[in-house]
Amino acid sequence: MPSFRETEIIEALQESTRASPENVILGIGDDAAVTKIEPGYQVVTATDVIAAGSHYPEGIDAQAIGHRSLAVNLSDIAAMGATPVWANLIFSVPVIKKDWVDKFILGFSSLANANNVALIGGDTIRGPEFFAVSLQGIVADNQYVSRAGAQLGDSIYVSGFLGDASHGREIIEKNRIAEVNASLVKKFLYPTPRMEQAKELNQIASSMIDLSDGLYSDLGKILSESNKGARIDVSKLPISETLTHLLGREKSIEKALIGGDDYELCFTVPKIRQNEFDLLTQSIQETKYTYIGEIMRENELKLLDQEDEYKLSGNPYSHF
Amino acid sequence: MPSFRETEIIEALQESTRASPENVILGIGDDAAVTKIEPGYQVVTATDVIAAGSHYPEGIDAQAIGHRSLAVNLSDIAAMGATPVWANLIFSVPVIKKDWVDKFILGFSSLANANNVALIGGDTIRGPEFFAVSLQGIVADNQYVSRAGAQLGDSIYVSGFLGDASHGREIIEKNRIAEVNASLVKKFLYPTPRMEQAKELNQIASSMIDLSDGLYSDLGKILSESNKGARIDVSKLPISETLTHLLGREKSIEKALIGGDDYELCFTVPKIRQNEFDLLTQSIQETKYTYIGEIMRENELKLLDQEDEYKLSGNPYSHF
């Protein structure tokens, strides 16, 4: 079969994602889907679009695009401390090629299956290359973690390494992929939304956000919503050896602050939860959390390099 | 202010739609929205996109486009016998002009407010003109009306008039709008999803669908999902005097069967519910329901013109 009919793409995607009969009453194939929420839970909905050229370079592997369309939404659900359950997909490509669609489906469904997410609806159009997902999850009543809960004196942490993905994208765009930078390219193409970590942090973090626009901008959103400021020490930022080796210290720090596309979590831990958090980080070895600074009273995001003031050479968008 | 920043469009839309604080725990402005489902209800989700050129002619009034983006999804929720509550919008235009966006917001929010729908999320991109909505509603546990419930001998009904909207679109595309056909043009530009009717029919209809692709195709979906056939009498089809006057009998019937864009309801009433349905139609004067035929055993959709076989001159997509 050389090509799919448009209506068949969503069906093929549904077949590739595991059904969840216990919470999907009626899936794809009717006017709308019907799903069941257990008592004691609230619904959490994230709706993000990715478009070729702006959210990712044109021409990258379709498997990475399928992965990305779901990953950016999973990351939003993670940042609420919630569990994803049901996805709806709007799929738009100018020409439908079976090989390409098969790869997209592989990328989307692998990540969906790994997270027990069922595809319950969607729509397909012929148009420019973009993919929009509306992802629904659940969280125990009022146990979600918003951006607005940071308090004076809370410690600020991030997961993983920052800046790798941003430089990975630059490498792809400049078409300079080599063995030495393959890990950065992969970090951009296959971001790993921090689903397990989000659940661990649900009872500990006072505020949380996922890093899509870059730490400086996204931490700014926590500060703005919480009506607080912060002081962070750029010498503490988790930067991979590979990135430092390729870019040097100053450019690596800049990537970590304003590069974007990390899809790591940034969150605040209140003093009364610090012991609990320390126990968590001791018990799990696989997740790297790094302390980077502290919530302050003044409405500004102050950058330090150990004791000295640090001046950002780039020009990030400020939320203040 | 000459133009919106992209991020401001969703916020302006949210401000124009009424808040529903009792069921929106956390609205726009965080990583995801949080909503509350009362015990005894299920979630119903419809996700449809409209794109300039394919779903509507380019250049029509932005108010009609804002209305349409929500209306097509409301119509899907109606066809499930459900009540819409929360909307998520993906908004894409190549250039952001304030006047245009204001009109879009007026069209979207007027319809949202009339139906108590809260905007809880969305995303904005610069790109070709398209709008995708993921709309969530509620229905009492297992009280939704699917396409699969039609039984042998059930009567088939449609709401409103068929074919007007399709010819209205043709008039717009040919740029021949006149006083004599203004009602058809309006029927296309401002479809009225049948929300109240859907709730009335929730306990009566054995199957239901909304008419977006045209009666012949959409009734075919009911038959396919229910594994049944049907016989309908084209002489009974509800066709407006205006349409008959403009097109003549045969072309009007064709528009009613395969024109599309009606956003009326097509549903089946079992014999044991007929009295209940008759009482309903007597008590409410404002809704026109028309009997058009009956569910049969054989897996085909047979068209009659009173006693004679009726041959469709157009070539609709068949679901058999």
Side-chain angles (χ1 to χ4, degrees):
Chain A
M1 193 171 69
S3 74
F4 282 97
R5 278 217 315 257
E6 295 179 28
T7 52
E8 292 168 341
I9 293 172
I10 297 292
E11 284 164 27
L13 263 161
Q14 188 190 30
E15 278 166 31
S16 302
T17 56
R18 268 202 293 273
S20 303
E22 75 279 6
N23 57 29
V24 178
I25 311 297
L26 193 68
I28 289 169
D30 216 295
D31 297 296
V34 182
T35 51
K36 188 173 166 57
I37 307 286
E38 294 302 325
Y41 287 87
Q42 292 168 336
V43 183
V44 181
T45 305
T47 306
D48 264 6
V49 61
I50 61 167
S54 51
H55 297 84
Y56 57 88
E58 289 183 43
I60 64 168
D61 194 66
Q63 187 179 344
I65 301 169
H67 177 97
R68 187 172 209 83
S69 67
L70 184 58
V72 300
N73 284 282
L74 284 170
S75 188
D76 279 327
I77 296 290
M80 302 300 288
T83 305
V85 192
W86 307 285
N88 301 273
L89 170 70
I90 303 281
F91 182 101
S92 172
V93 289
V95 184
I96 296 172
K97 292 177 194 149
K98 186 172 186 316
D99 283 358
W100 196 97
V101 174
D102 282 343
K103 281 187 189 167
F104 180 95
I105 290 175
L106 178 63
F108 185 97
S109 61
S110 301
L111 189 59
N113 291 338
N115 289 282
N116 287 310
V117 168
L119 188 74
I120 59 165
D123 201 359
T124 312
I125 62 171
R126 283 199 200 230
E129 187 180 311
F130 75 85
F131 309 93
V133 170
S134 187
L135 182 64
Q136 301 163 6
I138 54 170
V139 71
D141 279 353
N142 298 320
Q143 293 303 302
Y144 61 87
V145 185
S146 81
R147 298 173 179 175
Q151 297 295 330
L152 186 64
D154 287 1
S155 297
I156 304 169
Y157 288 85
V158 293
S159 66
F161 290 100
L162 305 185
D164 285 355
S166 169
H167 192 53
R169 178 178 180 155
E170 218 171 288
I171 291 163
I172 296 168
E173 284 171 340
K174 290 181 176 163
N175 203 14
R176 289 184 187 161
I177 304 173
E179 207 174 312
V180 65
N181 58 34
S183 66
L184 311 188
V185 169
K186 193 179 167 215
K187 187 83 196 293
F188 173 75
L189 291 179
Y190 293 95
T192 306
R194 300 299 189 183
M195 311 317 291
E196 288 309 314
Q197 291 81 346
K199 278 181 245 177
E200 292 163 7
L201 296 168
N202 177 296
Q203 301 290 317
I204 294 172
S206 53
S207 71
M208 187 149 61
I209 193 168
D210 71 312
L211 298 178
S212 52
D213 295 343
L215 175 65
Y216 189 88
S217 172
D218 290 326
L219 175 57
K221 292 170 198 161
I222 283 186
L223 302 180
S224 170
E225 290 293 318
S226 299
N227 199 24
K228 294 284 178 300
R231 181 174 64 187
I232 67 175
D233 182 349
V234 300
S235 75
K236 295 196 189 306
L237 291 176
I239 295 173
S240 71
E241 282 179 31
T242 313
L243 192 66
T244 308
H245 176 78
L246 285 169
L247 292 186
R249 183 174 191 265
E250 196 176 346
K251 277 208 172 343
S252 299
I253 289 175
E254 197 182 303
K255 280 284 178 205
L257 286 170
I258 63 171
D261 288 322
D262 298 303
Y263 296 103
E264 297 292 348
L265 295 171
C266 174
F267 55 95
T268 54
V269 175
K271 288 208 163 46
I272 53 161
R273 299 281 186 195
Q274 191 66 50
N275 279 344
E276 212 176 321
F277 180 69
D278 292 342
L279 283 171
L280 171 72
T281 54
Q282 283 156 23
S283 68
I284 46 161
Q285 301 298 320
E286 62 269 34
T287 311
K288 177 184 169 67
Y289 293 121
T290 307
Y291 170 88
I292 58 166
E294 194 182 326
I295 297 294
M296 310 289 284
R297 197 185 310 272
E298 303 73 27
N299 278 14
E300 59 167 341
L301 175 46
K302 200 168 182 177
L303 302 178
L304 298 175
D305 188 352
Q306 296 183 306
E307 299 301 302
D308 304 326
E309 198 177 328
Y310 183 83
K311 205 168 149 21
L312 195 55
S313 54
N315 190 19
Y317 171 67
S318 166
H319 288 269
F320 294 103
Chain B
M1 193 171 70
S3 74
F4 282 97
R5 279 217 313 257
E6 294 177 28
T7 51
E8 291 168 341
I9 292 172
I10 297 291
E11 283 165 28
L13 263 161
Q14 187 189 31
E15 277 168 30
S16 301
T17 55
R18 268 201 293 272
S20 302
E22 75 278 5
N23 56 30
V24 178
I25 310 297
L26 193 67
I28 290 169
D30 215 295
D31 297 295
V34 182
T35 52
K36 189 174 164 57
I37 308 287
E38 295 301 326
Y41 287 88
Q42 292 167 336
V43 182
V44 181
T45 306
T47 307
D48 264 5
V49 61
I50 61 168
S54 50
H55 298 83
Y56 58 88
E58 289 183 43
I60 64 169
D61 194 67
Q63 188 178 344
I65 300 169
H67 176 97
R68 187 172 210 83
S69 67
L70 185 58
V72 301
N73 284 282
L74 284 170
S75 189
D76 279 327
I77 297 290
M80 301 300 288
T83 306
V85 192
W86 306 285
N88 302 274
L89 171 71
I90 303 282
F91 182 100
S92 171
V93 289
V95 185
I96 296 172
K97 294 177 192 150
K98 188 172 186 317
D99 283 359
W100 196 97
V101 173
D102 281 343
K103 281 186 188 167
F104 180 95
I105 289 175
L106 179 63
F108 186 96
S109 61
S110 300
L111 189 59
N113 290 340
N115 289 283
N116 287 310
V117 168
L119 188 74
I120 59 165
D123 201 359
T124 312
I125 61 171
R126 284 201 198 227
E129 186 179 311
F130 75 84
F131 309 94
V133 170
S134 189
L135 183 63
Q136 301 163 6
I138 55 169
V139 72
D141 278 353
N142 297 319
Q143 294 302 301
Y144 61 87
V145 185
S146 81
R147 298 173 179 175
Q151 297 295 330
L152 187 64
D154 286 2
S155 297
I156 305 168
Y157 288 85
V158 292
S159 66
F161 291 100
L162 304 186
D164 285 357
S166 169
H167 192 54
R169 178 177 180 153
E170 217 172 290
I171 291 162
I172 295 167
E173 284 170 341
K174 290 180 176 164
N175 204 13
R176 288 183 187 163
I177 303 171
E179 206 173 313
V180 65
N181 59 34
S183 66
L184 310 189
V185 169
K186 194 180 164 212
K187 187 83 196 294
F188 173 76
L189 291 179
Y190 293 94
T192 307
R194 299 299 189 183
M195 311 317 291
E196 288 308 314
Q197 291 81 346
K199 278 181 246 177
E200 292 162 8
L201 295 168
N202 177 295
Q203 301 291 317
I204 294 172
S206 53
S207 71
M208 187 148 63
I209 193 169
D210 72 313
L211 298 177
S212 53
D213 295 343
L215 175 64
Y216 188 88
S217 171
D218 290 327
L219 176 56
K221 291 170 199 162
I222 282 186
L223 302 180
S224 170
E225 291 292 319
S226 300
N227 199 24
K228 293 283 177 301
R231 181 173 64 188
I232 68 174
D233 182 350
V234 300
S235 76
K236 294 197 190 306
L237 292 176
I239 295 173
S240 72
E241 283 178 32
T242 313
L243 191 66
T244 308
H245 177 77
L246 285 169
L247 291 186
R249 183 175 189 266
E250 197 177 343
K251 277 206 170 346
S252 300
I253 288 175
E254 198 181 302
K255 280 283 179 207
L257 286 170
I258 63 171
D261 288 324
D262 298 304
Y263 295 103
E264 297 292 349
L265 295 171
C266 174
F267 55 96
T268 54
V269 175
K271 287 206 163 49
I272 54 158
R273 299 284 186 193
Q274 192 66 49
N275 279 345
E276 212 177 320
F277 180 68
D278 293 343
L279 283 171
L280 171 73
T281 55
Q282 283 156 24
S283 69
I284 45 159
Q285 301 297 317
E286 62 269 34
T287 311
K288 178 185 170 65
Y289 292 123
T290 307
Y291 170 88
I292 59 165
E294 195 181 324
I295 297 294
M296 309 290 285
R297 195 183 311 271
E298 301 74 26
N299 277 13
E300 59 166 340
L301 174 47
K302 200 168 182 180
L303 302 177
L304 298 174
D305 188 352
Q306 295 184 308
E307 299 300 305
D308 305 326
E309 198 177 328
Y310 182 84
K311 204 170 152 18
L312 194 54
S313 54
N315 190 19
Y317 171 66
S318 167
H319 287 268
F320 293 104

PDB file of all heavy atoms in Angstrom, chain A residues 140-165:
ATOM      1  N   ALA A 140      -4.667  13.170  42.044  1.00  0.00           N
ATOM      2  CA  ALA A 140      -5.538  13.092  43.220  1.00  0.00           C
ATOM      3  C   ALA A 140      -6.037  14.498  43.555  1.00  0.00           C
ATOM      4  O   ALA A 140      -5.320  15.484  43.355  1.00  0.00           O
ATOM      5  CB  ALA A 140      -4.782  12.491  44.395  1.00  0.00           C
ATOM      6  N   ASP A 141      -7.293  14.590  44.031  1.00  0.00           N
ATOM      7  CA  ASP A 141      -7.940  15.882  44.261  1.00  0.00           C
ATOM      8  C   ASP A 141      -7.000  16.911  44.891  1.00  0.00           C
ATOM      9  O   ASP A 141      -6.482  16.691  45.995  1.00  0.00           O
ATOM     10  CB  ASP A 141      -9.160  15.704  45.184  1.00  0.00           C
ATOM     11  CG  ASP A 141     -10.378  15.213  44.403  1.00  0.00           C
ATOM     12  OD1 ASP A 141     -10.304  15.149  43.157  1.00  0.00           O
ATOM     13  OD2 ASP A 141     -11.397  14.894  45.044  1.00  0.00           O
ATOM     14  N   ASN A 142      -6.797  18.001  44.164  1.00  0.00           N
ATOM     15  CA  ASN A 142      -6.007  19.148  44.636  1.00  0.00           C
ATOM     16  C   ASN A 142      -4.554  18.825  44.987  1.00  0.00           C
ATOM     17  O   ASN A 142      -3.907  19.596  45.681  1.00  0.00           O
ATOM     18  CB  ASN A 142      -6.703  19.820  45.824  1.00  0.00           C
ATOM     19  CG  ASN A 142      -8.056  20.362  45.413  1.00  0.00           C
ATOM     20  OD1 ASN A 142      -8.209  20.919  44.323  1.00  0.00           O
ATOM     21  ND2 ASN A 142      -9.056  20.182  46.250  1.00  0.00           N
ATOM     22  N   GLN A 143      -4.032  17.709  44.483  1.00  0.00           N
ATOM     23  CA  GLN A 143      -2.633  17.352  44.747  1.00  0.00           C
ATOM     24  C   GLN A 143      -1.712  17.768  43.601  1.00  0.00           C
ATOM     25  O   GLN A 143      -0.548  17.353  43.558  1.00  0.00           O
ATOM     26  CB  GLN A 143      -2.496  15.843  44.982  1.00  0.00           C
ATOM     27  CG  GLN A 143      -3.163  15.360  46.257  1.00  0.00           C
ATOM     28  CD  GLN A 143      -2.639  16.075  47.485  1.00  0.00           C
ATOM     29  OE1 GLN A 143      -1.470  16.046  47.773  1.00  0.00           O
ATOM     30  NE2 GLN A 143      -3.523  16.764  48.193  1.00  0.00           N
ATOM     31  N   TYR A 144      -2.215  18.535  42.642  1.00  0.00           N
ATOM     32  CA  TYR A 144      -1.366  18.997  41.544  1.00  0.00           C
ATOM     33  C   TYR A 144      -0.345  20.014  42.058  1.00  0.00           C
ATOM     34  O   TYR A 144      -0.552  20.651  43.105  1.00  0.00           O
ATOM     35  CB  TYR A 144      -2.219  19.630  40.438  1.00  0.00           C
ATOM     36  CG  TYR A 144      -3.011  20.831  40.899  1.00  0.00           C
ATOM     37  CD1 TYR A 144      -2.458  22.102  40.880  1.00  0.00           C
ATOM     38  CD2 TYR A 144      -4.312  20.688  41.361  1.00  0.00           C
ATOM     39  CE1 TYR A 144      -3.168  23.198  41.320  1.00  0.00           C
ATOM     40  CE2 TYR A 144      -5.037  21.766  41.804  1.00  0.00           C
ATOM     41  CZ  TYR A 144      -4.466  23.025  41.779  1.00  0.00           C
ATOM     42  OH  TYR A 144      -5.159  24.103  42.230  1.00  0.00           O
ATOM     43  N   VAL A 145       0.759  20.152  41.311  1.00  0.00           N
ATOM     44  CA  VAL A 145       1.810  21.119  41.665  1.00  0.00           C
ATOM     45  C   VAL A 145       1.789  22.245  40.629  1.00  0.00           C
ATOM     46  O   VAL A 145       2.091  22.012  39.466  1.00  0.00           O
ATOM     47  CB  VAL A 145       3.199  20.450  41.679  1.00  0.00           C
ATOM     48  CG1 VAL A 145       4.256  21.428  42.168  1.00  0.00           C
ATOM     49  CG2 VAL A 145       3.182  19.196  42.557  1.00  0.00           C
ATOM     50  N   SER A 146       1.440  23.439  41.045  1.00  0.00           N
ATOM     51  CA  SER A 146       1.344  24.562  40.095  1.00  0.00           C
ATOM     52  C   SER A 146       2.655  25.338  40.057  1.00  0.00           C
ATOM     53  O   SER A 146       3.632  24.973  40.704  1.00  0.00           O
ATOM     54  CB  SER A 146       0.194  25.484  40.491  1.00  0.00           C
ATOM     55  OG  SER A 146       0.618  26.347  41.530  1.00  0.00           O
ATOM     56  N   ARG A 147       2.660  26.430  39.296  1.00  0.00           N
ATOM     57  CA  ARG A 147       3.835  27.310  39.247  1.00  0.00           C
ATOM     58  C   ARG A 147       3.806  28.336  40.381  1.00  0.00           C
ATOM     59  O   ARG A 147       4.767  29.073  40.568  1.00  0.00           O
ATOM     60  CB  ARG A 147       3.860  28.074  37.920  1.00  0.00           C
ATOM     61  CG  ARG A 147       3.985  27.187  36.700  1.00  0.00           C
ATOM     62  CD  ARG A 147       3.829  28.002  35.411  1.00  0.00           C
ATOM     63  NE  ARG A 147       3.966  27.162  34.238  1.00  0.00           N
ATOM     64  CZ  ARG A 147       3.775  27.585  32.989  1.00  0.00           C
ATOM     65  NH1 ARG A 147       3.454  28.860  32.766  1.00  0.00           N
ATOM     66  NH2 ARG A 147       3.910  26.769  31.971  1.00  0.00           N
ATOM     67  N   ALA A 148       2.689  28.392  41.075  1.00  0.00           N
ATOM     68  CA  ALA A 148       2.434  29.544  41.950  1.00  0.00           C
ATOM     69  C   ALA A 148       2.805  29.324  43.412  1.00  0.00           C
ATOM     70  O   ALA A 148       2.596  30.202  44.241  1.00  0.00           O
ATOM     71  CB  ALA A 148       0.955  29.934  41.850  1.00  0.00           C
ATOM     72  N   GLY A 149       3.382  28.151  43.752  1.00  0.00           N
ATOM     73  CA  GLY A 149       3.527  27.832  45.174  1.00  0.00           C
ATOM     74  C   GLY A 149       4.896  28.095  45.793  1.00  0.00           C
ATOM     75  O   GLY A 149       5.114  27.761  46.960  1.00  0.00           O
ATOM     76  N   ALA A 150       5.826  28.698  45.049  1.00  0.00           N
ATOM     77  CA  ALA A 150       7.170  28.914  45.614  1.00  0.00           C
ATOM     78  C   ALA A 150       7.123  29.910  46.771  1.00  0.00           C
ATOM     79  O   ALA A 150       6.475  30.950  46.679  1.00  0.00           O
ATOM     80  CB  ALA A 150       8.115  29.416  44.520  1.00  0.00           C
ATOM     81  N   GLN A 151       7.823  29.559  47.861  1.00  0.00           N
ATOM     82  CA  GLN A 151       7.846  30.420  49.056  1.00  0.00           C
ATOM     83  C   GLN A 151       9.270  30.869  49.356  1.00  0.00           C
ATOM     84  O   GLN A 151      10.235  30.177  49.011  1.00  0.00           O
ATOM     85  CB  GLN A 151       7.281  29.655  50.263  1.00  0.00           C
ATOM     86  CG  GLN A 151       5.819  29.231  50.127  1.00  0.00           C
ATOM     87  CD  GLN A 151       4.872  30.410  50.069  1.00  0.00           C
ATOM     88  OE1 GLN A 151       5.142  31.470  50.646  1.00  0.00           O
ATOM     89  NE2 GLN A 151       3.774  30.259  49.330  1.00  0.00           N
ATOM     90  N   LEU A 152       9.361  31.996  50.036  1.00  0.00           N
ATOM     91  CA  LEU A 152      10.648  32.558  50.451  1.00  0.00           C
ATOM     92  C   LEU A 152      11.506  31.484  51.130  1.00  0.00           C
ATOM     93  O   LEU A 152      11.047  30.808  52.040  1.00  0.00           O
ATOM     94  CB  LEU A 152      10.370  33.704  51.436  1.00  0.00           C
ATOM     95  CG  LEU A 152      11.558  34.546  51.899  1.00  0.00           C
ATOM     96  CD1 LEU A 152      12.180  35.287  50.715  1.00  0.00           C
ATOM     97  CD2 LEU A 152      11.103  35.546  52.956  1.00  0.00           C
ATOM     98  N   GLY A 153      12.741  31.326  50.659  1.00  0.00           N
ATOM     99  CA  GLY A 153      13.661  30.377  51.284  1.00  0.00           C
ATOM    100  C   GLY A 153      13.629  28.980  50.687  1.00  0.00           C
ATOM    101  O   GLY A 153      14.485  28.160  51.024  1.00  0.00           O
ATOM    102  N   ASP A 154      12.646  28.687  49.829  1.00  0.00           N
ATOM    103  CA  ASP A 154      12.616  27.365  49.176  1.00  0.00           C
ATOM    104  C   ASP A 154      13.890  27.164  48.348  1.00  0.00           C
ATOM    105  O   ASP A 154      14.400  28.112  47.730  1.00  0.00           O
ATOM    106  CB  ASP A 154      11.415  27.243  48.216  1.00  0.00           C
ATOM    107  CG  ASP A 154      10.077  27.102  48.945  1.00  0.00           C
ATOM    108  OD1 ASP A 154      10.069  27.124  50.203  1.00  0.00           O
ATOM    109  OD2 ASP A 154       9.055  26.976  48.252  1.00  0.00           O
ATOM    110  N   SER A 155      14.363  25.922  48.326  1.00  0.00           N
ATOM    111  CA  SER A 155      15.514  25.589  47.478  1.00  0.00           C
ATOM    112  C   SER A 155      15.030  25.290  46.060  1.00  0.00           C
ATOM    113  O   SER A 155      13.960  24.722  45.868  1.00  0.00           O
ATOM    114  CB  SER A 155      16.229  24.358  48.028  1.00  0.00           C
ATOM    115  OG  SER A 155      16.744  24.654  49.305  1.00  0.00           O
ATOM    116  N   ILE A 156      15.848  25.684  45.064  1.00  0.00           N
ATOM    117  CA  ILE A 156      15.496  25.474  43.662  1.00  0.00           C
ATOM    118  C   ILE A 156      16.362  24.351  43.094  1.00  0.00           C
ATOM    119  O   ILE A 156      17.590  24.379  43.237  1.00  0.00           O
ATOM    120  CB  ILE A 156      15.722  26.760  42.836  1.00  0.00           C
ATOM    121  CG1 ILE A 156      14.936  27.930  43.457  1.00  0.00           C
ATOM    122  CG2 ILE A 156      15.287  26.543  41.380  1.00  0.00           C
ATOM    123  CD1 ILE A 156      15.314  29.286  42.873  1.00  0.00           C
ATOM    124  N   TYR A 157      15.690  23.374  42.474  1.00  0.00           N
ATOM    125  CA  TYR A 157      16.390  22.230  41.877  1.00  0.00           C
ATOM    126  C   TYR A 157      16.007  22.081  40.406  1.00  0.00           C
ATOM    127  O   TYR A 157      14.936  22.534  39.980  1.00  0.00           O
ATOM    128  CB  TYR A 157      15.995  20.929  42.585  1.00  0.00           C
ATOM    129  CG  TYR A 157      16.567  20.787  43.969  1.00  0.00           C
ATOM    130  CD1 TYR A 157      15.913  21.356  45.060  1.00  0.00           C
ATOM    131  CD2 TYR A 157      17.749  20.082  44.186  1.00  0.00           C
ATOM    132  CE1 TYR A 157      16.427  21.227  46.342  1.00  0.00           C
ATOM    133  CE2 TYR A 157      18.270  19.944  45.463  1.00  0.00           C
ATOM    134  CZ  TYR A 157      17.605  20.522  46.537  1.00  0.00           C
ATOM    135  OH  TYR A 157      18.123  20.387  47.799  1.00  0.00           O
ATOM    136  N   VAL A 158      16.880  21.431  39.650  1.00  0.00           N
ATOM    137  CA  VAL A 158      16.530  20.990  38.293  1.00  0.00           C
ATOM    138  C   VAL A 158      16.927  19.520  38.146  1.00  0.00           C
ATOM    139  O   VAL A 158      17.838  19.044  38.821  1.00  0.00           O
ATOM    140  CB  VAL A 158      17.232  21.823  37.186  1.00  0.00           C
ATOM    141  CG1 VAL A 158      16.709  23.256  37.173  1.00  0.00           C
ATOM    142  CG2 VAL A 158      18.748  21.799  37.357  1.00  0.00           C
ATOM    143  N   SER A 159      16.232  18.830  37.259  1.00  0.00           N
ATOM    144  CA  SER A 159      16.580  17.437  36.949  1.00  0.00           C
ATOM    145  C   SER A 159      17.521  17.411  35.746  1.00  0.00           C
ATOM    146  O   SER A 159      17.561  18.350  34.942  1.00  0.00           O
ATOM    147  CB  SER A 159      15.308  16.629  36.649  1.00  0.00           C
ATOM    148  OG  SER A 159      14.698  17.090  35.463  1.00  0.00           O
ATOM    149  N   GLY A 160      18.285  16.334  35.621  1.00  0.00           N
ATOM    150  CA  GLY A 160      19.100  16.080  34.421  1.00  0.00           C
ATOM    151  C   GLY A 160      20.174  17.105  34.139  1.00  0.00           C
ATOM    152  O   GLY A 160      20.666  17.785  35.032  1.00  0.00           O
ATOM    153  N   PHE A 161      20.551  17.207  32.860  1.00  0.00           N
ATOM    154  CA  PHE A 161      21.548  18.172  32.397  1.00  0.00           C
ATOM    155  C   PHE A 161      20.865  19.225  31.520  1.00  0.00           C
ATOM    156  O   PHE A 161      19.970  18.910  30.756  1.00  0.00           O
ATOM    157  CB  PHE A 161      22.641  17.465  31.578  1.00  0.00           C
ATOM    158  CG  PHE A 161      23.526  16.582  32.397  1.00  0.00           C
ATOM    159  CD1 PHE A 161      23.329  15.205  32.434  1.00  0.00           C
ATOM    160  CD2 PHE A 161      24.562  17.133  33.155  1.00  0.00           C
ATOM    161  CE1 PHE A 161      24.150  14.393  33.201  1.00  0.00           C
ATOM    162  CE2 PHE A 161      25.389  16.322  33.916  1.00  0.00           C
ATOM    163  CZ  PHE A 161      25.182  14.957  33.954  1.00  0.00           C
ATOM    164  N   LEU A 162      21.339  20.448  31.615  1.00  0.00           N
ATOM    165  CA  LEU A 162      20.740  21.531  30.824  1.00  0.00           C
ATOM    166  C   LEU A 162      21.658  21.937  29.671  1.00  0.00           C
ATOM    167  O   LEU A 162      22.884  21.906  29.804  1.00  0.00           O
ATOM    168  CB  LEU A 162      20.470  22.747  31.710  1.00  0.00           C
ATOM    169  CG  LEU A 162      19.620  22.509  32.967  1.00  0.00           C
ATOM    170  CD1 LEU A 162      19.339  23.830  33.673  1.00  0.00           C
ATOM    171  CD2 LEU A 162      18.316  21.806  32.617  1.00  0.00           C
ATOM    172  N   GLY A 163      21.057  22.349  28.559  1.00  0.00           N
ATOM    173  CA  GLY A 163      21.819  22.911  27.445  1.00  0.00           C
ATOM    174  C   GLY A 163      22.154  21.925  26.341  1.00  0.00           C
ATOM    175  O   GLY A 163      22.378  22.334  25.200  1.00  0.00           O
ATOM    176  N   ASP A 164      22.188  20.636  26.677  1.00  0.00           N
ATOM    177  CA  ASP A 164      22.543  19.621  25.673  1.00  0.00           C
ATOM    178  C   ASP A 164      21.606  19.662  24.463  1.00  0.00           C
ATOM    179  O   ASP A 164      22.054  19.663  23.314  1.00  0.00           O
ATOM    180  CB  ASP A 164      22.462  18.210  26.284  1.00  0.00           C
ATOM    181  CG  ASP A 164      23.638  17.913  27.206  1.00  0.00           C
ATOM    182  OD1 ASP A 164      24.545  18.763  27.295  1.00  0.00           O
ATOM    183  OD2 ASP A 164      23.633  16.839  27.823  1.00  0.00           O
ATOM    184  N   ALA A 165      20.312  19.675  24.747  1.00  0.00           N
ATOM    185  CA  ALA A 165      19.321  19.591  23.670  1.00  0.00           C
ATOM    186  C   ALA A 165      19.423  20.803  22.743  1.00  0.00           C
ATOM    187  O   ALA A 165      19.339  20.686  21.517  1.00  0.00           O
ATOM    188  CB  ALA A 165      17.909  19.481  24.253  1.00  0.00           C
TER     189      ALA A 165
END
